[in-house]
Amino acid sequence: MAKLLAVCVGKAEHIEGYSPLTGINKRAVSGTVPIGPQGIAEDAILDRQHHGGSDQAIYIYFQGDYDWWAREGVASTPGLFGENLVIDGPISANTAIGDRYHIGDCLLEVTYHRTPCMTFAAKMNDKFWVKRFHRANRPGAYCRVLTPGTIEAGMDITVTPYAGERVTVSELMSFDTSKDLPLDFMRRAVTTPIREKTRFKYETRLADLF
């Protein structure tokens, strides 16, 4: 059993010294929050090329990973990394594509990992943040919404591990900068409910090789 520690929502804002509008500034909210197929309706998603959509409707970060960052000198508050939900229980290293989180009447399924970007670096006020986040390999997880519902901080979460190939979000992130992905890894990944954009990329590469 895991626990939902915080539900975080952002609005379109500027980061100091960074010109594009962004929804990365998430803040914890109280009370019940509805989750639909595209995520939290009131949550601002401005860069839809890289964020949002049905396969990345909800971004989760894990308290255990935040605890690690605290030991590295990064003091966390809910929403610091732009996540919608903070969960206590799992961590990135043991969270696999296809794992499911049942929160109240809402059901989420892990689809991919977070990839750091310059907006994230600007939020953290650290020009080296992208590399630092990659090195830590604690990306958190994007989820699709299988069953919409209403959630609230403090709820218990039932975690159902994916029964097929275990491809963790940390393993996925470790190949972010690899030009030549291992064939076995791609074959394993396409058997999971990974986000469709990545499935298409892997299936295309595999088809080109054979």
Side-chain angles (χ1 to χ4, degrees):
M1 187 71 70
K3 179 76 74 174
L4 178 59
L5 299 183
V7 181
C8 305
V9 179
K11 59 183 179 179
E13 295 179 348
H14 287 289
I15 297 171
E16 185 176 353
Y18 187 71
S19 58
L21 276 172
T22 174
I24 199 172
N25 290 328
K26 312 292 188 195
R27 298 173 181 87
V29 296
S30 58
T32 58
V33 177
I35 303 291
Q38 299 294 313
I40 300 172
E42 296 79 10
D43 187 46
I45 302 173
L46 303 182
D47 179 7
R48 290 194 173 269
Q49 181 179 355
H50 300 102
H51 303 286
S54 59
D55 276 353
Q56 297 182 169
I58 296 290
Y59 176 45
I60 290 173
Y61 207 72
F62 305 106
Q63 184 59 48
D65 290 332
Y66 264 145
D67 292 343
W68 182 88
W69 281 109
R71 295 191 291 272
E72 295 295 307
V74 178
S76 66
T77 56
L80 177 66
F81 288 176
E83 73 276 4
N84 298 114
L85 309 182
V86 182
I87 290 178
D88 190 22
I91 58 173
S92 295
N94 61 28
T95 297
I97 303 302
D99 286 355
R100 293 182 175 185
Y101 304 119
H102 204 151
I103 314 171
D105 53 356
C106 183
L107 182 61
L108 308 178
E109 182 178 67
V110 175
T111 60
Y112 204 59
H113 68 85
R114 164 72 170 279
T115 300
C117 60
M118 295 312 297
T119 301
F120 195 8
K123 167 75 187 299
M124 300 303 294
N125 193 28
D126 181 353
K127 64 181 180 180
F128 302 111
W129 181 254
V130 170
K131 290 184 178 179
R132 187 178 180 187
F133 194 75
H134 265 296
R135 285 198 303 270
N137 201 9
R138 295 170 180 270
Y142 277 118
C143 295
R144 63 172 60 96
V145 180
L146 295 179
T147 305
T150 302
I151 64 174
E152 184 175 7
M155 281 183 161
D156 289 332
I157 301 172
T158 300
V159 181
T160 304
Y162 183 59
E165 287 283 354
R166 298 289 295 173
V167 177
T168 69
V169 291
S170 292
E171 183 181 12
L172 271 167
M173 186 184 218
S174 70
F175 289 116
D176 264 1
T177 58
S178 299
K179 293 183 179 179
D180 297 317
L181 294 173
L183 294 181
D184 179 65
F185 167 72
M186 289 191 287
R187 290 191 184 106
R188 289 170 51 226
V190 297
T191 68
T192 73
I194 198 167
R195 67 174 187 172
E196 288 305 314
K197 179 179 178 180
T198 301
R199 176 184 303 282
F200 177 79
K201 180 174 72 173
Y202 289 177
E203 287 179 341
T204 299
R205 288 191 182 186
L206 288 168
D208 288 343
L209 291 170
F210 298 100

